[in-house]
Amino acid sequence: MTARDFILMELQRKYTLDKEADIESFNYLESGYIDSIGMIQFLVSLEEEYDIEFTDAEIADPSFKIVGQLAQLVERKVMENERLKAGNGKES
């Protein structure tokens, strides 16, 4: 499952997204798909699913609330983690 698919699945726990919605630019917070409590649960779900941690700066960035940009951030963080793990496994 891609990060985008996981994000969409999480967002649609309560409401179904309009099929006409532009997912790449969809602001899930302004559209009311997640409230402040839901945001915490959403963050925890993403961090646990992908074994990543978001910084305060990443969460505060307006792009964090856009599905397409959030999916790219998650994918980037996953790749960084994989590189770090691969680097730790090599002999120096």
Side-chain angles (χ1 to χ4, degrees):
M1 176 180 301
T2 67
R4 184 171 280 97
D5 292 339
F6 183 80
I7 290 167
L8 290 173
M9 181 184 72
E10 289 294 308
L11 290 176
Q12 295 187 92
R13 286 185 181 268
K14 290 186 181 180
Y15 309 106
T16 302
L17 286 170
D18 182 356
K19 293 181 187 203
E20 302 297 317
D22 178 11
I23 298 305
E24 292 306 309
S25 62
F26 185 73
N27 186 319
Y28 58 86
L29 200 58
E30 285 181 4
S31 299
Y33 278 80
I34 292 183
D35 58 16
S36 56
I37 299 288
M39 184 63 158
I40 295 168
Q41 295 168 331
F42 182 55
L43 288 172
V44 169
S45 294
L46 284 169
E47 289 180 336
E48 288 178 354
E49 177 72 16
Y50 292 100
D51 192 26
I52 58 176
E53 288 186 25
F54 295 109
T55 65
D56 291 343
E58 289 168 335
I59 295 167
D61 191 297
S63 66
F64 194 85
K65 299 169 189 87
I66 307 298
V67 172
Q69 294 176 20
L70 177 57
Q72 289 174 5
L73 174 62
V74 170
E75 290 165 358
R76 205 168 38 249
K77 292 181 86 60
V78 168
M79 288 174 61
E80 288 170 6
N81 277 355
E82 289 174 357
R83 275 195 296 263
L84 287 173
K85 288 177 184 176
N88 288 337
K90 294 181 180 177
E91 291 183 21
S92 301

